[in-house]
Amino acid sequence: MQKFIAFTLTIYLVCSVDPSMVQLSTEKIDELSQSNLGRFIIEMAQTHAEMRGPLDDLVTAIGDLENELTAELQQLEDDFTRSTNQHQITQENLDINIGQTEINIFNEKDFIDAILLPSIDQTNQKIDRLNGFINDNRDSLARETLNRQNQHQAYLDRVSEHQGAISAVDEALQLINSLINGNIAFTEKATIHQAVKRVNNKIAKTSTIHPVVEALLQLTQNFSDQGQAQKIRDLLQDTRNQLVASLNQENADEKQIEETWAERQKTLNTEYQEFKRSLLEATYVLATYQNKLKSTQEALAQNELDLQNYNESLQQDKDAQAQETQIYNELKAQYQIQLQTTRNAKDFVNSAEFSTVIRNKLNQGGLA
């Protein structure tokens, strides 16, 4: 209460002093008497003046007020410095987070656009190619298998034809040998005719040797001596040898073709397995890229959200600092005004003019 009274008095006194004369007027003292607080201060001054001593209490109160204001101003300065330092640390950390997050966002976008998306596109193209290779491989296997089946059937048909021809030639040789050996007389035309007919029936009309055998058999029905029979037998034997050689060649060719076909099947199946392995590998790689894309996009979205939060936090902290700075400046200005007023009042109270005015007023009948 004492400090408040002293502060109030000093403000009023300073406002009432003529700066050029540094003295209180009677009117100002009269004005002080109009309020309870003013009368209380005047009474304190009058009591002290009557005691004819220095205004120690008033001076002490003003000094205490000055010290208190100085301490409060220093506390304000300290609090503001701590707050400013804390804001600086907070903003520096946010700036670091913002910078690192922007780098992360750039790297993630670059990773997606430059690596993941092209890799996914290339892997999809590879999978399409491999599926095409697999389809072509199975089509080739099916087509070549059918061709091989037809080829093998043609071989079997030729073998059958050769075997029929050899059998016919053998029977024709048997007929000729029967004629030569006398088992059948050359005059037994009916028997010879029946034998020729059986031989003809055994040889397919499409056989290449059919005309030869048929012609030889026709001659057989017309000759009448051993010499002609032996010549025909030699021709038939030569024909048989050619048929056997041709059949052996057919078998050899078929064996080679079958080996080649087995190797071809092995090659196609090996290619198929390799395509399947590559397809599984590409599918796994594609899934890996897609999972990486998903996780990178999620990280990108989180970083973008973090960046937004960091920027908002930075702006909020700057706004808070600006508001605190404004409040600090306003309070500091008020404290400086109060301190200056208090110091002016202290100087005035300690002056000879202040004591003279009070004592003169008392000699004239008192302050109240």
Side-chain angles (χ1 to χ4, degrees):
M1 181 64 181
Q2 186 182 26
K3 293 178 181 179
F4 173 75
I5 293 170
F7 177 67
T8 304
L9 175 62
T10 54
I11 292 176
Y12 187 82
L13 289 175
V14 172
C15 293
S16 303
V17 174
D18 184 344
S20 64
M21 301 297 297
V22 195
Q23 74 179 52
L24 281 171
S25 64
T26 302
E27 290 78 9
K28 293 299 181 182
I29 295 177
D30 292 337
E31 289 179 6
L32 285 174
S33 301
Q34 301 303 314
S35 66
N36 293 331
L37 178 60
R39 283 194 298 272
F40 176 75
I41 296 173
I42 291 171
E43 288 174 358
M44 286 182 60
Q46 182 177 358
T47 300
H48 178 73
E50 290 174 351
M51 294 176 65
R52 308 221 175 247
L55 300 175
D56 293 336
D57 293 339
L58 186 59
V59 171
T60 300
I62 294 174
D64 290 343
L65 177 61
E66 180 186 12
N67 293 336
E68 184 176 337
L69 291 173
T70 300
E72 291 179 359
L73 178 58
Q74 185 60 50
Q75 184 64 46
L76 177 67
E77 295 279 2
D78 294 342
D79 291 343
F80 180 73
T81 299
R82 284 192 296 270
S83 177
T84 299
N85 291 338
Q86 185 58 51
H87 282 299
Q88 183 177 359
I89 293 172
T90 299
Q91 291 173 19
E92 287 177 354
N93 290 335
L94 286 171
D95 284 335
I96 292 173
N97 291 338
I98 288 172
Q100 185 58 56
T101 304
E102 288 176 340
I103 292 173
N104 292 341
I105 290 174
F106 174 83
N107 290 337
E108 287 161 353
K109 287 183 176 180
D110 184 65
F111 184 51
I112 290 173
D113 294 336
I115 303 298
L116 291 179
L117 291 180
S119 296
I120 289 174
D121 184 59
Q122 292 172 4
T123 305
N124 277 323
Q125 293 177 9
K126 182 177 181 180
I127 289 174
D128 290 340
R129 288 196 303 271
L130 288 170
N131 281 324
F133 293 156
I134 289 173
N135 292 334
D136 290 343
N137 178 277
R138 294 298 89 183
D139 289 344
S140 295
L141 180 61
R143 183 176 60 255
E144 293 180 27
T145 298
L146 179 60
N147 291 339
R148 175 60 189 140
Q149 290 172 348
N150 293 335
Q151 185 183 47
H152 183 66
Q153 186 59 49
Y155 156 76
L156 294 177
D157 292 341
R158 290 194 300 274
V159 168
S160 178
E161 181 179 314
H162 276 71
Q163 290 174 341
I166 291 172
S167 177
V169 171
D170 285 343
E171 191 165 344
L173 284 171
Q174 185 179 0
L175 173 61
I176 294 299
N177 286 328
S178 295
L179 289 171
I180 293 173
N181 295 330
N183 296 329
I184 300 176
F186 289 102
T187 58
E188 297 179 15
K189 299 297 183 180
T191 301
I192 295 174
H193 178 73
Q194 291 176 354
V196 170
K197 186 177 181 181
R198 287 196 307 270
V199 172
N200 279 329
N201 290 336
K202 286 186 176 182
I203 300 178
K205 300 296 183 183
T206 57
S207 175
T208 56
I209 68 165
H210 181 271
V212 176
V213 174
E214 185 178 27
L216 291 174
L217 290 175
Q218 289 297 329
L219 291 173
T220 301
Q221 298 182 73
N222 296 322
F223 63 67
S224 59
D225 58 51
Q226 291 276 351
Q228 289 179 328
Q230 289 177 355
K231 290 180 181 180
I232 293 174
R233 183 184 65 180
D234 292 340
L235 290 173
L236 286 173
Q237 186 62 51
D238 184 61
T239 300
R240 187 184 188 282
N241 293 338
Q242 292 180 17
L243 286 171
V244 171
S246 177
L247 178 60
N248 291 336
Q249 186 62 49
E250 286 285 352
N251 290 330
D253 291 345
E254 176 65 14
K255 181 180 179 182
Q256 182 62 46
I257 292 172
E258 182 61 28
E259 291 175 355
T260 302
W261 169 236
E263 190 64 28
R264 175 60 176 164
Q265 283 181 304
K266 181 180 178 181
T267 299
L268 287 173
N269 288 327
T270 300
E271 289 177 351
Y272 173 75
Q273 293 301 325
E274 180 62 25
F275 291 149
K276 288 289 290 184
R277 186 196 64 78
S278 297
L279 179 61
L280 290 174
E281 180 181 303
T283 303
Y284 172 79
V285 170
L286 178 62
T288 301
Y289 282 138
Q290 289 173 334
N291 289 335
K292 188 61 177 179
L293 175 63
K294 180 180 178 182
S295 62
T296 304
Q297 288 174 333
E298 290 174 351
L300 174 60
Q302 184 61 52
N303 277 320
E304 289 176 338
L305 179 60
D306 290 343
L307 179 61
Q308 179 181 351
N309 292 335
Y310 290 145
N311 282 322
E312 290 176 354
S313 297
L314 179 61
Q315 187 59 49
Q316 290 171 359
D317 194 76
K318 287 182 177 179
D319 292 341
Q321 184 181 14
Q323 185 177 10
E324 291 174 6
T325 302
Q326 181 180 358
I327 294 173
Y328 160 76
N329 288 331
E330 292 174 355
L331 289 175
K332 182 178 180 181
Q334 293 176 10
Y335 274 114
Q336 288 174 337
I337 291 172
Q338 292 174 3
L339 270 173
Q340 187 60 46
T341 301
T342 302
R343 288 165 183 162
N344 290 341
K346 183 175 69 173
D347 292 341
F348 180 70
V349 168
N350 285 323
S351 69
E353 289 81 0
F354 182 82
S355 178
T356 299
V357 169
I358 295 298
R359 295 184 184 279
N360 289 339
K361 191 63 178 176
L362 286 173
N363 291 335
Q364 294 174 4
L367 293 171

